[in-house]
């Protein structure tokens, strides 16, 4: 019997057989650090098409989700840190920084801990934290060529990050709804690199673009709509000007979110319409 | 005034001026995702000498330390996950995984949260968690050529990780004692890639091997000895055999630590002698 050592939880015992150390990655998913994964990475990074630009800021901020249902919150924290957005509020010690605990907004952390968050709640949190968002439901109106063009756009620059909301089932993985940012694109193989924050379960991996596209098209049963994607971009209008920045910050990098009360609800987010691919 | 939103801490207010969003990286340190950093990375990854093998498993498990003084604990968690060591005890949900909270051993977490840990405590924790260690104090007996050979050895394979304990002061950084794993080596430039877990402060960066060597030679005032390095390697003798592994685990990867009571002290660790470079 093993002791649950995590502070803040009721202590208890659980049998070894009831616990897991990772899962075997399905055949269609190629682990980042496998021989094949390293080869794909090297080919992509050396390609003249250069769709690995977004890899660098994301690799700098890759994290493991702090709770089993925090895939959306962890993905957002990772992306906001990669976009060098200053949260304008305290994390720990004297530092301002994003981690999942800072997202007690749009939905409560206790609910997120139990159920995770929806794509709408992800959008709400992103907007509340001062990023521009461009969102697409993977309805029939969104074609694979359009998706590929968006992937290429986001991967060829360090200023925009694409986050996918998809069903793990299509990838042959256990579980269902999940969030991952795209960390790069291999044009010749038409594969994307998923920087999956559930690293206690699966390592980061390469998958065919067509497969992840199909995984996004699956219906989110909780709302009866297909899943989709969000592109995150730092919003200069919502950020403090350079003159307003604290002298303690890197003046070339920091983009502070204007202090604002949290909406504490998702009513400010326009509802998705499945007939539209591009909402805003 | 900003609200401290981190749960578990007493809530309180702190003025914006008293908080920080990162620090400017000194000139001798080249940020991983800067133009120069990307060039160094690409050169190193394409070099025939191939000293970027360790980059892949470490990049998969790069984390941000969960507390301002947890650099040693976070570095160890990252390395044990990169070496695919199964802790044999529960993390969260049904998962076995390493995060700082699992290291309530050798010293208490509350003391580590206040003071951080020493190199001796880092070693104690590493041994308690079933890894082989090879440790060197950066005394005069350790020559730079020997250090460079060790760096090359650890970076040319995915099975050994070198962790440095050094003074940030020599690098022109704020703070003092710190732990970082080496994520790769650029032979032509004689530079190492430090995957610094204090990502709220500095991004990962390249530094000259000679500079980090000097930073390791600084005296740790708390014990009157120079700092140094530890090489971590999974210890097959201390791991369960494949037959003992749970069916739920990836049989090709998992190395479970034998369940053992924590030592709750550093007395089992042989003391360092400054006249010796290589202790065991």
């Amino acid at each position: 019997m093993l002791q649950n050592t995590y502070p803040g939880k009721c202590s208890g015992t659980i049998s070894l057989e009831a616990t897991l150390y990772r899962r075997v990655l399905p055949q269609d998913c190629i682990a980042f650090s496998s021989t094949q994964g390293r080869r794909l990475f090297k080919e992509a990074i050396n390609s003249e098409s250069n769709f690995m630009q977004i890899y660098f800021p994301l690799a700098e901020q890759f994290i493991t989700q702090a709770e089993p249902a925090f895939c959306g919150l962890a993905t957002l924290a990772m992306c906001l840190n990669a976009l060098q957005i200053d949260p304008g509020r305290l994390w720990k010690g004297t530092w301002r920084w994003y981690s999942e605990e800072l997202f007690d907004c749009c939905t409560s952390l206790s609910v997120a801990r139990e159920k995770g968050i929806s794509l709408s709640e992800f959008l709400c949190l992103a907007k509340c934290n001062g990023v521009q968002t461009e969102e697409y439901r993977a309805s029939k109106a969104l074609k694979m060529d359009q998706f590929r063009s968006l992937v290429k756009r986001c991967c060829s620059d360090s200023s925009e990050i694409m986050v996918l909301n998809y069903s793990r089932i299509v990838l042959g993985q256990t579980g269902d709804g999940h969030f991952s940012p795209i960390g790069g694109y291999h044009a010749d193989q038409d594969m994307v690199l998923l920087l999956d924050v559930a690293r206690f379960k699966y390592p980061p991996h390469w998958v065919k673009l067509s497969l992840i596209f199909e995984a996004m098209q699956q219906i989110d049963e909780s709302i009866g709509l297909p899943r989709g994607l969000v592109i995150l971009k730092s919003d200069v209008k919502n950020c403090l000007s350079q003159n307003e920045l604290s002298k303690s910050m890197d003046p070339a990098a920091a983009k502070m979110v204007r202090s604002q009360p949290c909406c504490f609800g998702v009513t400010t987010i326009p509802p998705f319409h499945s007939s539209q691919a591009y909402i805003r």
Side-chain angles (χ1 to χ4, degrees), chain A:
Chain A
M1 302 292 269
L2 300 169
Q3 191 74 22
N4 181 337
T5 59
Y6 183 60
K9 294 268 184 186
C10 297
S11 64
T13 53
I14 185 168
S15 72
L16 176 64
E17 289 70 28
T19 67
L20 295 163
Y21 181 74
R22 310 190 90 174
R23 294 273 193 187
V24 180
L25 206 52
Q27 208 169 4
D28 287 337
C29 305
I30 299 164
F32 177 75
S33 70
S34 66
T35 305
Q36 200 182 347
R38 290 172 195 232
R39 185 177 53 71
L40 288 170
F41 179 77
K42 212 169 153 179
E43 286 169 0
I45 214 118
N46 287 319
S47 165
E48 284 185 15
S49 53
N50 214 350
F51 296 126
M52 293 299 285
Q53 290 303 316
I54 198 60
Y55 173 77
F56 292 88
L58 281 172
E60 283 194 348
Q61 301 304 336
F62 198 8
I63 58 173
T64 300
Q65 57 187 84
E67 295 283 340
F70 271 4
C71 59
L73 299 186
T75 295
L76 184 59
M78 171 178 169
C79 293
L80 295 181
N81 288 332
L83 291 171
Q84 300 188 51
I85 292 173
D86 178 341
R89 55 196 191 276
L90 199 61
W91 169 64
K92 293 179 193 179
T94 56
W95 302 96
R96 302 190 299 271
W97 193 245
Y98 279 108
S99 71
E100 294 104 312
E101 297 96 344
L102 260 69
F103 296 133
D104 201 0
C105 172
C106 301
T107 186
S108 77
L109 269 181
S110 57
V111 171
R113 191 172 278 115
E114 289 301 314
K115 296 183 176 181
I117 59 169
S118 67
L119 185 51
S120 298
E121 288 160 340
F122 183 94
L123 272 166
C124 174
L125 281 164
K127 289 172 199 280
C128 279
N129 284 279
V131 280
Q132 278 189 317
T133 59
E134 192 179 309
E135 56 265 26
Y136 299 79
R137 285 277 172 196
S139 66
K140 286 181 180 169
L142 180 68
K143 305 299 180 196
M144 193 155 71
D145 281 349
Q146 188 187 0
F147 173 54
R148 188 180 289 108
S149 296
L150 290 169
V151 168
K152 287 181 177 178
R153 187 186 101 195
C154 293
C155 291
S156 61
D157 192 86
S158 294
S159 65
E160 292 183 304
I161 299 173
M162 183 183 288
V163 172
L164 307 184
N165 175 225
Y166 58 99
S167 168
R168 283 190 183 278
I169 297 169
V170 176
L171 273 59
Q173 301 177 352
T174 66
D176 191 0
H178 196 58
F179 288 90
S180 286
I182 291 189
Y185 175 64
H186 189 305
D188 290 344
Q189 295 291 331
D190 200 25
M191 295 181 98
V192 296
L193 175 61
L194 297 181
L195 296 178
D196 189 331
V197 293
R199 300 187 290 185
F200 50 84
K201 184 176 181 180
Y202 296 117
H205 46 275
W206 293 92
V207 290
K208 283 283 183 191
L209 181 134
S210 57
L211 191 66
I212 197 70
F213 183 67
E214 187 189 336
M216 282 201 305
Q217 290 177 317
Q218 303 307 300
I219 301 296
D220 179 349
E221 299 294 347
S222 67
I223 50 171
L225 291 173
R227 297 179 183 279
L229 68 91
V230 183
I231 296 170
L232 303 172
K233 189 172 184 174
S234 66
D235 185 351
V236 286
K237 287 177 296 182
N238 272 350
C239 296
L240 294 182
S241 71
Q242 289 299 318
N243 289 340
E244 293 174 282
L245 289 172
S246 159
K247 285 177 187 167
S248 65
M249 294 186 293
D250 179 352
K255 303 148 195 167
M256 184 182 289
V257 176
R258 277 190 188 281
S259 180
Q260 55 185 336
C262 175
C263 58
F264 275 106
V266 293
T267 51
T268 55
I269 304 298
F272 280 115
H273 303 288
S274 59
S275 59
Q276 287 178 271
Y278 180 27
I279 305 298
R280 46 167 291 157

